Amino acid sequence: MEDKVYLFDTTLRDGQQTTGVNFSVSDKMNISQHLDDLGIDYIEGGWPGANPTDNDFFSRNTKFSKSKLTAFGMTRRPGRSADNDPGLNALINSSASCVCIVGKSSSFHVKNALEISEDENLKMISDSIHSIKNKNKEPIFDAEHFFDGFKENKDFSLSCIKAAYDAGARWVVLCDTNGGTLPDEIYNIVSEVVKVIPGQNVGIHAHNDTDNAVANALAAINAGARQIQGTINGLGERCGNTNLISLIPSLVLKTKYKTNISKDKLQNLIHISRTLNDILNMPSRKNAPYVGDHAFSHKGGLHASAIEKNSSTYEHIKPEIVGNSRNVVISNQAGRSNILNQLNKINIDLPKNEINNILEIIKEKESEGYSFDTALASFELLVRRHLGHFKDFYNLEKFRVTDERRWNAKGEIVTEAEATVFLKVKDSNMMTVGTGNGPVNAIDSALRKALIDYYPNLKDLKLTDYKVMILSSEKGTGAITRVLIESSDSTNTHWTTIGVSPNIIDASYSAIFDSITFKLLNDLKNKN
C-alpha cells in the first residue's frame, strides 16, 4: 500500500457549523488561498445551492495551484432520480472539480431518520456517485455515523461504503459523526474496512467530542486509511473536528507517511492559525501544540537550565521547524522569518541594516494591540512609510462625529451619524460633512467627498467587512479596541487594514485611513 496521505480541509463548510462562526465570501477566499499555498489536497468550499454566500464563493475564480476545490452536499433524495434532483445537480454543475456527498451508513438512522428501506439507501448512494462520476467530477462519499453504525450492524455499514466504492467513488470517508469513538476502536474498525475496500480509497473524518480526533485520525492512517479530513484549529460543531494545525506537523515530522505539504511549508502553520483567529475575532490559544506562544516555553528548574545550555531535551522538535521559537526569542526568531517572507511576497527589498529596526517597530506595535497576521495591507504601509517609499496622500487635521437617535413623525426610531472632517490635500484645506448609518460609515462618506475630486479612482473602493475585537476586557468600557476593515475594488483586489485605540471611532478611522492609502498606493504602483 502506498505511504502517501491526502489531506482534506473542511474549515469553510464543517468549520462554519461552529456556534458563532459565519464566514463572508472574502473570508473564504482568504482562507482558501492560504490552504492552497500550504499544499492541502482538497478544500471543501461549502454547499452550492444551499445559501447565497456559498453560491457566490463557487462563482469566484479561486485559481488554486495545488488544491482541488470540493463541493459538499447530500445524496439524491428518496423518490427522485439523480438526474432530477436539484440539490445534487447544483453540486455537479458547480465550478468544483470534486463533489463530496454525505449519506447514511447506519441502519438505525436509515430506518428512523430517513424512514426508508436499507435497499433504497444503497440505491441513493450508488445513483448519486454514478451521476457525479458520469459528469467527470471526482466523487467522494462521506459515510455519516459509520462507526456507530458499524457497531450496531456491521454488514449494512460495509454495504453502504461498498456501494459508493463500486459506483466509482474515489474516496469513501468514514465519519465518526458524534465523536464518541476511541482510538483503539478506530484502528480495529478501519482494519476491517480495508479488507473490503482498498486503503488508498478510505478516509477518516473524526469529530473531537472525546478530545481524541487527532489521535483517531492517526489511528485510522496506521490501520490503512489514506485520507484525513479536518479543519484549521479544529474548528467545528460542538467540540470541533480533527485539528489540522496539530495533525499536519505530527504526520510530516513523526511518521513515515508522505503528504503534499513540504517540510518548509510547516513554518506557515502559525500564520494560518492566527489568520483564522483574527477573521473570527478569537484570541489564539497560547498553549496550542506547535503554534501556541507557550508551545516551547520553559519555566525554572531543570528545564530552564537545560535550555540555557542549548539543550533540546525538553522540546520534541526544533521550534523553528514550525515557525515558532522558545519563549524569550519568539518575536525575534519567528518575527524575522515571517517578516522576510512577507516582504518577499510584496516585492520589498529590505536593506540588511533595517530588519532589526522593522522588528522593533512591529514589536512596539504588537505591544499596543496591533496584529498584522491578517492586516497585511497595514503591514506593507508600515514598512513602506519607514523606508520612505511614499508620502501620505492627505493629512487629517481633525474630525468630529455625532450620533443621533430620534423618533420620526411616524413614531419610528431613526439613528443617523454625521461626521465632519478637516483635511489638507495637495496644499488645499478641505472641510466636508458626511452622513451614514453609523459613525464609521459617516467618516468614510465625509473622507470620500473631500478626496474624490483629487483621487477619482476612490469611486470603486468598497469597505466589504468590519470587525471589532476588545483586547483588554478587564478594563470594561475603557478597554483597548482593535478594528479590522476589509476592502476591495473593481480589480477584484482584496486587502485588510487595522486600527487600534482605546476609542473605537479613532481605531476605525486609522483602519479607514490605511485602506484609502493602500488603494491609492496600489493604483499608483500598477499605473507605473
Side-chain angles (χ1 to χ4, degrees):
M1 182 184 294
E2 67 172 341
D3 287 335
K4 184 174 181 181
V5 173
Y6 295 80
L7 296 166
F8 184 113
D9 181 274
T10 180
T11 303
L12 305 183
R13 199 277 304 173
D14 210 346
Q16 185 161 260
Q17 296 187 34
T18 307
T19 302
V21 170
N22 187 24
F23 294 124
S24 67
V25 177
S26 296
D27 292 337
K28 290 196 169 197
M29 292 294 293
N30 186 2
I31 295 167
S32 63
Q33 290 301 325
H34 283 300
L35 294 170
D36 178 49
D37 180 64
L38 180 64
I40 295 292
D41 299 283
Y42 297 87
I43 299 174
E44 191 173 63
W47 191 326
N51 58 72
T53 299
D54 285 356
N55 291 342
D56 191 354
F57 175 72
F58 279 93
S59 72
R60 301 285 185 98
N61 185 358
T62 50
K63 297 181 180 178
F64 292 159
S65 60
K66 302 174 184 176
S67 306
K68 295 180 180 180
L69 178 61
T70 305
F72 176 86
M74 59 186 293
T75 60
R76 70 162 176 83
R77 297 180 182 180
R80 284 183 180 268
S81 68
D83 290 340
N84 293 315
D85 189 288
L88 183 59
N89 284 316
L91 308 178
I92 294 172
N93 295 326
S94 74
S95 60
S97 60
C98 306
V99 177
C100 179
I101 56 169
V102 63
K104 302 295 186 186
S105 59
S106 160
S107 177
F108 175 83
H109 284 88
V110 167
K111 295 175 181 177
N112 294 280
L114 295 182
E115 296 182 336
I116 60 174
S117 69
E118 292 179 348
D119 285 343
E120 174 65 5
N121 187 69
L122 295 175
K123 290 178 183 177
M124 287 162 55
I125 295 170
S126 180
D127 292 349
S128 302
I129 295 295
H130 267 303
S131 184
I132 297 167
K133 182 80 170 177
N134 289 340
K135 295 297 175 65
N136 296 317
K137 303 277 186 175
E138 182 176 320
I140 301 173
F141 177 63
D142 195 311
E144 191 178 30
H145 297 288
F146 178 81
F147 290 96
D148 288 335
F150 187 96
K151 296 173 191 176
E152 296 164 359
N153 187 335
K154 169 182 172 180
D155 291 340
F156 178 71
S157 293
L158 290 174
S159 68
C160 290
I161 59 174
K162 191 72 164 56
Y165 175 71
D166 289 344
R170 167 64 181 91
W171 295 102
V172 292
V173 181
L174 315 178
C175 188
D176 186 25
T177 306
N178 63 22
T181 312
L182 297 178
D184 61 325
E185 297 177 290
I186 295 284
Y187 181 88
N188 292 336
I189 293 174
V190 173
S191 295
E192 293 197 48
V193 169
V194 297
K195 296 175 183 176
V196 178
I197 296 174
Q200 59 263 29
N201 299 101
V202 176
I204 176 72
H205 184 168
H207 285 253
N208 199 38
D209 297 71
T210 64
D211 206 17
N212 278 292
V214 170
N216 283 344
L218 292 172
I221 295 301
N222 286 333
R226 287 296 178 264
Q227 187 207 85
I228 298 174
Q229 294 196 9
T231 60
I232 303 172
N233 295 342
L235 206 64
E237 190 176 23
R238 302 187 314 277
C239 304
N241 290 264
T242 300
N243 183 355
L244 293 182
I245 298 296
S246 298
L247 175 97
I248 288 170
S250 293
L251 199 62
V252 172
L253 300 174
K254 296 176 177 294
T255 75
K256 63 181 180 180
Y257 304 110
K258 300 175 183 178
T259 72
N260 279 338
I261 298 178
S262 58
K263 191 174 179 179
D264 64 296
K265 285 293 185 179
L266 297 181
Q267 296 184 27
N268 295 358
L269 293 175
I270 283 182
H271 178 64
I272 294 172
S273 174
R274 291 178 180 175
T275 294
L276 179 63
N277 286 331
D278 282 347
I279 287 172
L280 299 177
N281 276 343
M282 294 172 59
S284 297
R285 274 183 56 208
K286 292 185 180 297
N287 65 339
Y290 294 104
V291 298
D293 287 347
H294 298 167
F296 300 95
S297 292
H298 307 274
K299 183 180 179 181
L302 294 174
H303 291 210
S305 175
I307 293 303
E308 287 175 2
K309 296 175 182 177
N310 295 318
S311 170
S312 59
T313 305
Y314 296 100
E315 293 172 345
H316 64 110
I317 64 167
K318 292 182 178 180
E320 293 80 10
I321 294 174
V322 290
N324 212 331
S325 60
R326 293 173 189 148
N327 53 351
V328 293
V329 291
I330 286 176
S331 295
N332 289 338
Q333 293 297 325
R336 180 186 294 270
S337 173
N338 290 341
I339 287 173
L340 291 175
N341 180 59
Q342 185 57 38
L343 292 176
N344 183 57
K345 288 182 179 179
I346 56 181
N347 298 316
I348 294 181
D349 186 12
L350 190 68
K352 290 182 179 179
N353 63 335
E354 286 290 350
I355 182 63
N356 288 333
N357 294 331
I358 296 296
L359 277 169
E360 288 303 315
I361 293 171
I362 296 295
K363 288 166 62 178
E364 181 180 350
K365 287 291 185 181
E366 287 179 345
S367 71
E368 296 171 5
Y370 283 82
S371 174
F372 296 102
D373 286 333
T374 53
L376 296 179
S378 287
F379 168 79
E380 179 176 346
L381 293 176
L382 183 71
V383 175
R384 291 192 183 279
R385 283 194 183 100
H386 175 75
L387 297 176
H389 286 185
F390 72 98
K391 292 183 179 180
D392 287 330
F393 296 90
Y394 75 91
N395 295 109
L396 175 74
E397 301 292 336
K398 63 178 180 178
F399 70 80
R400 181 173 57 248
V401 180
T402 59
D403 248 356
E404 182 181 29
R405 186 177 189 271
R406 57 185 170 80
W407 283 264
N408 62 16
K410 297 180 180 180
E412 301 168 330
I413 294 178
V414 176
T415 58
E416 187 176 62
E418 181 180 283
T420 305
V421 298
F422 299 82
L423 309 176
K424 189 170 185 178
V425 191
K426 296 184 178 180
D427 298 324
S428 297
N429 293 316
M430 305 286 295
M431 188 277 286
T432 56
V433 178
T435 59
N437 57 11
V440 177
N441 185 225
I443 292 173
D444 181 49
S445 174
L447 288 172
R448 288 171 189 256
K449 283 184 180 180
L451 297 172
I452 201 71
D453 289 338
Y454 296 91
Y455 305 110
N457 49 326
L458 289 178
K459 289 180 181 179
D460 71 341
L461 172 64
K462 296 180 180 179
L463 305 185
T464 57
D465 205 1
Y466 175 81
K467 293 185 175 75
V468 177
M469 177 182 286
I470 304 302
L471 301 180
S472 47
S473 56
E474 73 278 0
K475 295 182 180 179
T477 55
I480 302 295
T481 303
R482 178 192 294 164
V483 169
L484 290 167
I485 288 179
E486 185 177 288
S487 309
S488 66
D489 62 15
S490 59
T491 67
N492 205 28
T493 302
H494 294 260
W495 63 94
T496 302
T497 53
I498 189 172
V500 174
S501 173
N503 185 310
I504 188 173
I505 305 301
D506 183 52
S508 300
Y509 169 76
S510 295
I512 293 173
F513 174 66
D514 271 8
S515 176
I516 291 173
T517 303
F518 185 83
K519 161 68 177 172
L520 296 175
L521 182 63
N522 200 48
D523 286 354
L524 188 62
K525 288 190 296 181
N526 292 335
K527 184 178 180 181
N528 294 335

